Amino acid sequence: MENLLSQIAAYKQEIENTQANGSANLEEYRIRFLGTKGIVKAMFGEMKNVPAEQKKEFGAILNEFKQFAEAKYESWKASFSGPDELTNEIDLTLPGDPMNLGSRHPISLVRNEIISIFRRLGFSVAEGPEVEDDWHNFTALNLPENHPARDMQDTFYLNQNPDWLLRTHTSNVQVREMEKGKLPIRIVCPGRVYRNETISARAHCFFHQVEGLYIDEHVSFADLKQTLYFFVQELFGRDVKIRFRPSYFPFTEPSAEMDISCLLCNGKGCNVCKNTGWVEILGCGMVHPQVLENCSIDSNKFTGFAFGMGIERITMLKHQINDLRLFSENDVRFLQQFTASL
Ligand code: PHE
């Protein structure tokens, strides 16, 4: 019994000395002294070892010990719970943390700008699937099976069905619009496209395009030139010059590539234009009569032009970005530099 009494005295001393701070410590205290496996319970358990004539006295000491431990717990708890304590710890007059607003991705900004220029010319936006069948991506566009020009665009095919692929250009949307048979057609097709290319500063396995299509009676190459000239002047400024170089696409005849005068050196020659003074920005041409016929459009009555450009390439020129990979790395230090006014 002597032994138990000195133990209780030591515990009381410990309780006395316990610093009342923090709710985590309070919980530790509760578990140690008042929990179901705690010290108070354990001391009550000692009762059975105490001789019968001393049980009464020991019981009174135990009860007093229990009340002592509980009182400490209650006063501790009351000292920091409740609203008063909050106002002590937090300065409510402090300004809030600033909330960082996100910014639009540069590709989205430039895409929207391209679309808005063509909207002003009466073009509307058409979209289509990224997983496409062979017909809409290739065959209808005058690229039958085994056509060597299919190698111009390295294609991802789907394992489930060899007829399915990830579209290599948004021309698939043009086919889908032509097949609807509602003429005239004046559309731009923005979207993501995929090509099986090794990732580098200048190439990626996916990128974004805006393609355009205008089909009506009497559409000529002059309309194509004037439309694209207006477009680049709106996008890059009045001083930009253009030139067309003959090219080849299976779905257009004649076909051309359009260059603009280099914006960085004003045509004097620099490493962006490889000292030529010109940079290529898009492919274009008059829609091949076979493509019109493939989509059940009378090629004797209707003509049209089409063009296609990579949004990444234009964004790189506009903002002097030298690595294509930056667009898909999601580094906020890069992304934050673009605002809607750019
Ligand atoms: N579809 C072509 C490409 O992705 C671009 C293009 C479109 C060229 C329309 C001419 C006419 O490379």
Side-chain angles (χ1 to χ4, degrees):
M1 162 108 174
E2 282 310 304
N3 201 9
L4 289 172
L5 289 180
S6 65
Q7 263 184 43
I8 288 175
Y11 284 137
K12 275 176 112 172
Q13 193 62 48
E14 184 187 329
I15 291 171
E16 202 112 51
N17 294 342
T18 302
Q19 296 287 333
N21 55 16
S23 57
N25 287 344
L26 173 66
E27 183 59 6
E28 259 171 50
Y29 171 87
R30 189 191 64 76
I31 293 167
R32 177 162 161 75
F33 286 99
L34 305 171
T36 44
K37 292 184 180 140
I39 288 164
V40 171
K41 266 261 157 64
M43 294 319 278
F44 272 91
E46 294 291 340
M47 185 70 114
K48 60 180 182 303
N49 303 325
V50 173
E53 65 279 13
Q54 289 179 324
K55 274 200 198 304
K56 196 173 169 207
E57 188 195 342
F58 187 65
I61 290 169
L62 272 182
N63 276 327
E64 196 257 338
F65 173 56
K66 184 181 172 208
Q67 278 160 18
F68 183 78
E70 283 173 350
K72 171 87 177 184
Y73 177 75
E74 291 305 332
S75 73
W76 187 353
K77 199 165 107 180
S79 76
F80 71 89
S81 59
D84 287 343
E85 206 238 346
L86 263 187
T87 37
N88 286 342
E89 282 190 7
I90 299 173
D91 179 355
L92 295 176
T93 65
L94 280 176
D97 285 338
M99 244 220 279
N100 287 327
L101 280 185
S103 53
R104 284 211 189 282
H105 195 283
I107 296 296
S108 305
L109 290 172
V110 173
R111 180 200 58 206
N112 292 348
E113 203 178 338
I114 294 169
I115 289 172
S116 86
I117 296 169
F118 282 106
R119 275 232 169 89
R120 274 178 263 150
L121 289 172
F123 284 76
S124 53
V125 172
E127 287 181 303
E130 291 181 21
V131 175
E132 190 50 283
D133 55 38
D134 182 275
W135 169 258
H136 292 96
N137 193 81
F138 286 130
T139 307
L141 289 160
N142 205 23
L143 280 136
E145 215 181 318
N146 300 324
H147 192 291
R150 284 196 181 202
D151 296 340
M152 285 165 72
Q153 302 175 348
D154 294 314
T155 310
F156 287 115
Y157 287 91
L158 269 69
N159 283 340
Q160 292 99 311
N161 185 337
D163 194 46
W164 289 349
L165 47 86
L166 297 180
R167 67 178 177 191
T168 57
H169 46 194
T170 58
S171 308
N172 67 326
V173 185
Q174 308 190 359
V175 174
R176 287 175 177 277
E177 287 297 314
M178 287 189 278
E179 283 176 341
K180 287 180 188 164
K182 272 173 70 185
L183 293 153
I185 294 172
R186 212 178 323 179
I187 51 164
V188 280
C189 318
R192 182 174 285 182
V193 301
Y194 303 83
R195 292 184 195 177
N196 190 359
E197 296 200 24
T198 311
I199 297 169
S200 72
R202 303 174 56 86
H204 213 294
C205 56
F206 70 85
F207 60 98
H208 299 80
Q209 282 191 326
V210 176
E211 295 208 344
L213 177 69
Y214 177 28
I215 298 178
D216 202 348
E217 291 177 47
H218 313 301
V219 176
S220 71
F221 201 89
D223 298 318
L224 164 65
K225 275 179 141 176
Q226 197 52 44
T227 303
L228 294 178
Y229 189 36
F230 173 82
F231 163 67
V232 290
Q233 283 195 320
E234 289 294 298
L235 192 66
F236 294 111
R238 298 276 158 212
D239 296 335
V240 70
K241 296 185 201 52
I242 55 169
R243 75 174 184 189
F244 288 84
R245 283 177 292 105
S247 184
Y248 172 76
F249 298 104
F251 28 87
T252 47
E253 183 57 38
S255 303
E257 262 156 324
M258 190 176 89
D259 297 343
I260 56 168
S261 49
C262 180
L263 304 158
L264 294 182
C265 62
N266 278 324
K268 287 189 204 75
C270 66
N271 62 355
V272 170
C273 62
K274 299 195 197 84
N275 288 318
T276 62
W278 296 95
V279 280
E280 183 204 319
I281 65 156
L282 55 81
C284 56
M286 301 304 292
V287 180
H288 197 294
Q290 184 63 51
V291 174
L292 296 175
E293 296 296 333
N294 287 345
C295 301
S296 310
I297 295 174
D298 182 353
S299 63
N300 292 315
K301 191 170 174 209
F302 290 99
T303 51
F305 67 72
F307 56 87
M309 65 190 101
I311 304 178
E312 276 81 351
R313 186 170 174 74
I314 289 179
T315 309
M316 287 168 89
L317 281 175
K318 212 170 147 57
H319 298 301
Q320 290 157 39
I321 297 163
N322 59 10
D323 193 326
L324 193 64
R325 291 167 290 196
L326 286 164
F327 291 121
S328 49
E329 282 169 349
N330 280 339
D331 185 334
V332 286
R333 292 168 302 178
F334 171 73
L335 297 174
Q336 269 168 353
Q337 296 176 53
F338 303 90
T339 62
S341 62
L342 280 174

